[in-house]
Amino acid sequence: MFKNYLKIAFRNIWKSKGYAFINIVGLSVAFCVSVFLFLTSYFQLTFDDFHEDGDRIYQTYFFSNNPEKVEKSGSMPFPITPALKSEFPEIEAVARIVNSSDVVEYKGKFFDKQVKFTEPDFLKIFSFPFVKGNRESALADLSSIVITENMAKAVFANEDPLGQFLQLGLAGSKKQYIVTGVLADVPENSTIRFDAFVRSENYRGYQGEKDAWDSHSHQVYLKLGANTSQATFEQRLRPFARKYFAGNIAALKKQGAKADERGDLFALRLQKLKNIHFDTDIAGGGGAAPKALVYALMGIAFFILLIACINFINLNVARSFIRAREVGVRKSLGALKNQLFVQIWGEAAVICFAGFLVGIVLAILLLPTFNATFQAKLSLGFMLQPDKIALILGLFVLVTMLAGGYPAWQMSKFNAVEVLKGKVTMKKPGILRNTLIITQFSLSSLLICCTIIAVQQVNHLRNQPLGFQKEEVISIPVGNKINGKIAMQRIRNVLVSDPNVLAISGSGVNLGLGLDRSTSRSVMGFTYKEKEISTDWLGVDYDYLKTLNIKLLGGREFDPAYPADSSDRVIITESMAKMIGEPNPVGKYFQTDTAGAKIQIIGLIPDFNLYSAKNDKKPITIYLNNTPGYIFVRVTPQSLSKSMDKLRTVWKEITPESEFQGSFMDENTNNWYKEEQRLSNVFSLASGIAIVLSCLGLFAVALIVIEQRTKEIGVRKVLGASIPNLVFVLSQDFVKLVVIAILIASPLAWFFMQKWLDNYPYRIEISPLVFVGVGISAIFVAVATVSFQSIKAALMNPVESLKSE
């Protein structure tokens, strides 16, 4: 019986090759795109979920309910880690992670690696797999270093890394470490990225910061006991915050701050590990694109599958009336309802399977192109994992049941007598067909509106005034193989007479994301006139304002003629002046430590974005630091390429061991929005596919409907109807459906995109012209799709359609 069903299915598919082709193409494209979108979303949403007991791992952050707005910061002081460990027995493990990079030397070879600082408890919190070594003792000694497999291959090649000695640091500050463990390479969907770990006691600023509660420089992670909930532990942290941060709380009270709904002015709280990837507040301005965008990708994937299913259902329901006599004959010969259902559904399943198979093959073939185009990190191995295979098979079963089941059920219900009398007709479009057409065009229009608004927002962010001139500036990461001060002096000496070089400076923080893909943040907290102050603390070299074309509002820039500038002088931004309550701050003094030296404000500048415009501009305090991590060179507009080539040559002469990673600052700042740009590109592609699939379905339905109205067209022509009149009559019903779809999609798109735009401090206002433009375009596309078949039908000789009457 099954063999017979399969034979009949193939015979019917071959008989209607055109419709089968439309269905297979639509389903295969939908499957392919949906696989990519679901896997991309899955990749984003499963960050850090590979750790055992991940539901018990948290990052600490400070909550401050300032009068102006709520502030959160994941940057912690050094003494908080031992204090937490000693005062809370429910903490199984707690560890700092101090972000850093260093030069690694082995047998005269040098390697730039991300060597971070932590505690032995790090290996108890996180379950990065050990390839070699012992997890319990790997970081037991201050001279121990744990490295990744990738670093082991790069440094030691085929040698056994365990027990080998490595030198870390530059000349004069080198220290020897012994390799005590090798970890498997860090998964791509890990928030914590590293090449190696050493003990935090080796951090160069450890002695000065280990007892400093007001110096925030790193992240802290902890693992709670199995019987301790987050809410319970945060309640336990309230006395801890009052004990160690009484000054912060007192300052907030004097500012008139109100407690939040939990009764806190200032608190130490926890963020779940699984949420850290999307939390830009405590991630220091980094993180991924908003979580809403990732969910939107999943929604798009579902919409595309739904549109393909609607096409399939519409075509099969429409063709069911053509096959009605066949069903009637089979029923009259004794075929049961369930047998007809299985046979008709089997045909649908064959087409779905063909579409699924072609879609998966396309996904595999197009995977490298997808990764290259959208900077994704999907791999074939990722797709072939058991849970991903289950997801893909689930999509196939869902589509087959939805798209094939309904038409089969409808056809199996036909009354044999009525069908054989010819009473099953398509005189009027059915409610189901109209509803499905409206649904698919609503989804397509919704996607297109959202895509246009998302692209406009990304362009708005990229074009947002940053407060400095980013064009014609080359940014060079110094790296770890040369001292920043020496590199700066040599660059200045070589380029001092170059007419194409307008200014040279340096900074501890890169503006944007350069080729080293690194960013850092230093936040300083102190009390000024009984007010709690928190500011970005930025070290720069001479001529910083000149190089970035930042205008002084008052005071002066750092000057070598003033020796005191290098120790206790700062320049602040307008928002910093507002925070300390000084409209004319130049000449005023403050202290970051009650026992420290007084620091004088010598300059005032406008606010500028030290980090992405996805976040508010923060108050910035700039101090002089002539050992920069990045060198900035402003060049003339006509010498961009020439200057980059010259800097590459000069860099090779200055430090032959270091790779030149110079890049243009405007490209670096654009990289701040790379994730949004990538997802916007995916949106654009998906929206285009959605409208193509909708038009494909509309074309096929129009083909069947016009076929059913052939005699009507003939009668109209005999009675004198012109071709334009016939095209209008045949198209108007479909145009009405598209207009209804636009009226449904527009308010939905406005609502959802308003919610999304609320995540950004710098956002566009949605223009009604977006919806008008999309509506006109959708109507034009629908008319063009239907008119092709309408004109063809109108041109037919009425004799041919009426000769049987």
Side-chain angles (χ1 to χ4, degrees), residues 77-83 96 200-201 203 205-213 215 217-218:
F78 261 82
I80 199 171
T81 301
R96 312 175 181 102
S200 59
E201 292 89 341
Y203 175 60
Y206 178 77
Q207 292 303 321
E209 294 185 33
K210 67 177 182 178
D211 298 316
W213 285 89
S215 179
S217 59
H218 62 279

Side-chain angles (χ1 to χ4, degrees), residues 7-54:
K7 187 185 294 184
I8 295 171
F10 279 114
R11 187 180 297 157
N12 284 325
I13 290 169
W14 184 253
K15 183 180 176 182
S16 306
K17 295 186 286 293
Y19 297 114
F21 177 77
I22 290 173
N23 276 325
I24 291 172
V25 168
L27 288 171
S28 61
V29 171
F31 272 125
C32 176
V33 174
S34 299
V35 164
F36 283 144
L37 296 185
F38 275 125
L39 291 182
T40 300
S41 304
Y42 188 89
F43 177 82
Q44 292 289 333
L45 294 172
T46 55
F47 254 72
D48 301 312
D49 74 342
F50 54 88
H51 292 291
E52 296 175 11
D53 303 321

